[in-house]
Amino acid sequence: MPGFFGMYSDIRKNFNNLIFCHIEHEDLVENEMWLDNIYVKRFVNPKFLQDKLFFNNSAIFVCTDGTLLNAKDLKEEYSAHNNEELVRLMYEKFGVHFISKLRGDFSGVIYDKSEKMLKIFTNHVGSKPIYYFWDKPSKSLIFCSELKFVLNFMRYFDFPTKLSEIGAYSLLSFGYMLRDYTLCQNVKKLLPGTILTFDPNNGVISMDNYFQLKNTPYIEEKKDTIINELDCRFCEAIQKEYDKDIEYGYRHITTLSGGLDSRMNLIKGKMLGYNDILAITFSQSNYLDEKIAKKITSDHGCSFLFYALDNGIFLKDIEKPVLANDGQIFFANAAHVLAIVSLINWKEYGLLHTGQIGDLVLGSYLYKRQHFKVSDKVISKTAYSNKLINRIPKQIFEEIQQNYESDEIFAFYERCVNGIFNGYLMIQQHSEFASPFLYLDFLEYSLRIHPRLRYREKIYHDWIQMKVPDAAQYIWEKTGLPINAGEWRVILKKAFRYAKQRLIGPSSSDSMNPFDYWYKTNGELRNIFNDYYENHISLLDNYPSIKADGQYLFEQGNTLEKCQILSLISAIKLFGLT
């Protein structure tokens, strides 16, 4: 994906023969800089370019990627004329921790010339990933927005790129990596809200976690007070996102489904006066997602673009999604997103606005009206497949249990950041992205609302009905009924759906993406999967246990489990893992 690359080395080499971005994008903006044996090169998408800094002065060198949603407010606060001056002034006052005051989806690197320290950082929720390799004996550090090129440079300097068995079994179980693991044994992903500091003098790195989400202390005010605060923060998030489009002269584009999160984004945007919105929807034809989204756009005067997922045709290209997500997540998770965004002419459009993880933030990952400590049972519930989960070393689960305050915070950082953000990796090939539910001031407040108020998304439904009643009138895809339908109607509807699936088996009406139905009815798709598996399973010959387990998963597993092993062997092939 677009982004930046950097390394520290005592040996200067010509890197022109190494390609820094796998996508075909003729307009990538490229710059490079050598500073005291530190090399940094950026290769960024030209959209929102003034938000993406690359400058060098007598005190610091700065390179960032992504968007700064509150840059306008901060420039007024610090009397800065542009973003470069803003960062310079804030760094002088706060050091690298100025990034905690930024809002948006960004990552970056700063070299402090007086300290002679290199500082690499992610944003608060890690939505712009950074991968790094560190070798203390040789004082080597390699980092990049894309895992593939960390591996390329490791080989360039004769460092081994061995497959991580923990990473492999994470992919075969959870469908994504756990914690900071990758598919390469010696490469890590920089954790969300973290600053990595590298001292070139002694080759040592240190980690500073500048931000961590928490559930406590709980917010337990009156319901109306909480709803008013939620709405105020949500409006601020919407305005920051949509104003960023306007600042650069772009039209608005948003995802829309039959769920609550995306409709809240679109309808609230319309309520706040934002028009000329293109809504894009993808699902099985005639499923609720298409019907509901079409109705919403028609009622609110928005343009509508529908991409049919029928027959699972978007699954035929296994390798393109794996390249886009660095093999960190199984390809079927967001291949449909890559398929539709690749068809759009992005010249006129800005951020892809989404409703990403609104349900999680407002209660869908709560098991009861209280939080629980993270346990093996809680961890296993976030896996796509439990067939091989016992292959993951026990100490990994123990580490996870010690690092999160509650089951819900665990679910956010592991399933959401490491898994669901896969969709964002597909979008970055073409533009930038945003979700009002991930806007830090909304996110931080929401997760601290007491779980008894958020359980089964109760406060979410009350907020919609109180502040955005127009959004409440449409059917909710999850239940097939409006959110005010009543508990018994919802129970009966769920029972009918369950009975129907048990009687007739997989069908095209099961969900927006009925994977098992597609695999069962599309012979061409089955052949593609089988051929890819047969032609590439030998890549695991050096790992007989993983190979045997992968064979078991492909032969005995459901369609998504087949996609998990296909993703693993595809990543081994594409990234040259040994």
Side-chain angles (χ1 to χ4, degrees):
M1 72 188 77
F4 56 85
F5 165 87
M7 65 169 295
Y8 173 83
S9 173
D10 290 330
I11 304 172
R12 294 199 178 196
K13 290 192 175 186
N14 186 338
F15 303 137
N16 290 335
N17 60 326
L18 291 174
I19 301 172
F20 280 90
C21 193
H22 70 261
I23 65 168
E24 295 180 5
H25 198 310
E26 60 185 21
D27 298 325
L28 283 180
V29 176
E30 299 186 19
N31 306 89
E32 61 182 359
M33 182 70 64
W34 274 103
L35 299 145
D36 297 335
N37 292 333
I38 294 169
Y39 175 78
V40 178
K41 180 183 179 74
R42 75 165 177 174
F43 40 96
V44 297
N45 190 304
K47 285 185 174 295
F48 305 101
L49 192 57
Q50 297 307 308
D51 283 32
K52 301 171 183 180
L53 302 175
F54 193 92
F55 70 86
N56 182 37
N57 61 33
S58 60
I60 55 175
F61 164 76
V62 176
C63 172
T64 69
D65 184 33
T67 53
L68 308 176
L69 296 181
N70 64 336
K72 182 179 178 182
D73 296 339
L74 290 173
K75 282 186 285 189
E76 291 178 4
E77 180 180 348
Y78 290 92
S79 301
H81 295 93
N82 52 50
N83 290 340
E84 179 179 327
E85 185 180 8
L86 171 66
V87 168
R88 179 180 60 79
L89 292 171
M90 293 184 73
Y91 189 84
E92 288 175 359
K93 185 171 183 178
F94 302 106
V96 70
H97 283 87
F98 81 90
I99 61 176
S100 66
K101 299 181 180 297
L102 302 178
R103 298 294 181 266
D105 297 282
F106 59 85
S107 59
V109 54
I110 295 175
Y111 180 58
D112 188 308
K113 296 180 180 179
S114 61
E115 295 180 358
K116 293 192 179 299
M117 295 287 188
L118 188 68
K119 303 172 184 185
I120 307 159
F121 55 86
T122 59
N123 70 332
H124 302 77
V125 296
S127 54
K128 285 275 190 179
I130 298 294
Y131 304 98
Y132 68 94
F133 164 77
W134 170 57
D135 181 66
K136 185 178 180 181
S138 64
K139 298 182 180 180
S140 297
L141 179 70
I142 303 172
F143 58 92
C144 190
S145 306
E146 189 160 358
L147 175 62
K148 176 181 178 180
F149 300 112
V150 174
L151 301 176
N152 283 353
F153 275 81
M154 287 172 66
R155 285 187 286 267
Y156 195 57
F157 286 93
D158 298 320
F159 292 111
T161 55
K162 289 181 63 65
L163 177 68
S164 164
E165 295 192 33
I166 293 174
Y169 279 114
S170 294
L171 190 60
L172 296 178
S173 298
F174 292 87
Y176 51 85
M177 297 297 111
L178 295 172
R179 295 291 288 159
D180 59 352
Y181 289 95
T182 71
L183 283 177
C184 182
Q185 197 174 93
N186 298 318
V187 179
K188 299 291 186 182
K189 186 177 82 165
L190 192 58
L191 291 171
T194 299
I195 301 164
L196 183 159
T197 299
F198 175 68
D199 182 350
N201 292 322
N202 56 28
V204 171
I205 65 172
S206 60
M207 298 292 179
D208 178 7
N209 183 227
Y210 71 88
F211 180 78
Q212 177 81 25
L213 284 167
K214 294 182 179 297
N215 286 129
T216 56
Y218 287 134
I219 294 169
E220 301 184 74
E221 299 175 302
K222 291 181 179 179
K223 183 177 74 173
D224 286 0
T225 302
I226 292 174
I227 287 175
N228 286 332
E229 186 65 26
L230 277 174
D231 197 64
C232 179
R233 291 172 183 246
F234 194 76
C235 287
E236 178 185 341
I238 291 284
Q239 289 167 335
K240 289 287 188 289
E241 289 182 23
Y242 283 76
D243 284 349
K244 182 59 68 172
D245 288 338
I246 294 170
E247 176 186 341
Y248 282 85
Y250 291 129
R251 299 171 64 190
H252 308 302
I253 182 169
T254 182
T255 56
L256 184 62
S257 66
L260 302 181
D261 309 338
S262 58
R263 76 177 64 169
M264 282 293 285
N265 189 339
L266 185 145
I267 294 175
K268 198 66 167 177
K270 291 289 293 186
M271 290 172 64
L272 292 172
Y274 298 100
N275 297 299
D276 192 18
I277 300 173
L278 169 64
I280 60 174
T281 299
F282 30 80
S283 77
Q284 176 76 15
S285 294
N286 299 314
Y287 184 63
L288 284 175
D289 280 300
E290 178 190 4
K291 295 176 181 178
I292 297 167
K294 189 179 292 184
K295 174 65 173 169
I296 292 172
T297 53
S298 176
D299 290 348
H300 291 85
C302 299
S303 302
F304 181 65
L305 176 63
F306 176 70
Y307 179 79
L309 303 182
D310 300 18
N311 304 310
I313 55 175
F314 65 95
L315 296 170
K316 292 179 181 179
D317 190 339
I318 295 167
E319 294 185 353
K320 193 171 181 181
V322 172
L323 274 172
N325 69 27
D326 291 307
Q328 290 289 99
I329 309 105
F330 78 118
F331 81 95
N333 179 274
H336 58 293
V337 179
L338 184 60
I340 187 171
V341 298
S342 298
L343 297 175
I344 295 170
N345 183 341
W346 284 90
K347 285 189 176 180
E348 296 183 3
Y349 295 103
L351 296 171
L352 182 62
H353 303 275
T354 77
Q356 195 77 281
I357 68 139
D359 61 334
L360 184 155
V361 171
L362 290 163
S364 69
Y365 276 26
L366 291 170
Y367 298 117
K368 291 189 178 180
R369 291 177 173 83
Q370 65 187 67
H371 286 118
F372 295 92
K373 293 292 184 183
V374 183
S375 63
D376 288 357
K377 182 179 179 181
V378 166
I379 294 172
S380 67
K381 283 185 176 180
T382 63
Y384 280 92
S385 172
N386 281 292
K387 287 184 171 68
L388 304 173
I389 200 168
N390 291 332
R391 301 288 196 274
I392 298 173
K394 185 72 174 177
Q395 63 264 29
I396 304 301
F397 289 173
E398 292 172 353
E399 177 188 342
I400 287 172
Q401 291 168 14
Q402 294 167 5
N403 273 280
Y404 298 114
E405 176 189 42
S406 70
D407 51 347
E408 189 178 36
I409 297 298
F410 152 75
F412 176 85
Y413 279 108
E414 297 298 337
R415 188 175 179 90
C416 174
V417 174
N418 287 340
I420 296 174
F421 280 7
N422 188 18
Y424 283 163
L425 301 179
M426 306 299 129
I427 296 160
Q428 289 180 80
Q429 312 299 311
H430 305 280
S431 187
E432 303 295 338
F433 50 85
S435 168
F437 295 98
L438 287 168
Y439 188 72
L440 189 65
D441 303 273
F442 180 89
L443 175 66
E444 203 172 11
Y445 181 84
S446 301
L447 285 173
R448 287 182 48 229
I449 298 171
H450 198 287
R452 71 169 179 271
L453 299 173
R454 290 189 293 122
Y455 181 60
R456 292 185 176 175
E457 301 164 273
K458 182 66 169 65
I459 196 77
Y460 193 8
H461 296 177
D462 291 342
W463 168 37
I464 294 173
Q465 292 179 82
M466 181 175 170
K467 293 293 186 178
V468 197
D470 191 25
Q473 67 175 312
Y474 301 100
I475 290 172
W476 183 20
E477 180 272 338
K478 183 176 180 179
T479 63
L481 297 165
I483 60 174
N484 57 2
E487 187 175 354
W488 280 108
R489 286 184 67 192
V490 172
I491 292 172
L492 289 171
K493 190 78 172 182
K494 284 184 177 179
F496 175 77
R497 280 184 171 183
Y498 178 76
K500 181 181 176 183
Q501 290 176 5
R502 289 298 299 269
L503 285 171
I504 67 175
S507 74
S508 62
S509 61
D510 287 347
S511 71
M512 66 170 279
N513 42 21
F515 290 99
D516 289 331
Y517 172 78
W518 291 332
Y519 188 79
K520 177 183 177 181
T521 58
N522 187 342
E524 183 184 4
L525 182 63
R526 286 198 308 274
N527 290 337
I528 289 172
F529 277 21
N530 290 330
D531 288 347
Y532 197 92
Y533 169 77
E534 293 293 342
N535 290 335
H536 298 95
I537 190 64
S538 60
L539 292 169
L540 283 168
D541 283 349
N542 291 336
Y543 299 87
S545 295
I546 300 178
K547 182 179 180 180
D549 286 335
Q551 290 171 325
Y552 165 71
L553 200 64
F554 189 83
E555 293 167 6
Q556 302 297 322
N558 60 30
T559 307
L560 289 182
E561 289 171 322
K562 296 179 195 301
C563 291
Q564 287 173 265
I565 179 60
L566 292 176
S567 299
L568 176 60
I569 57 179
S570 175
I572 293 171
K573 172 193 172 186
L574 294 170
F575 304 141
L577 297 166
T578 58

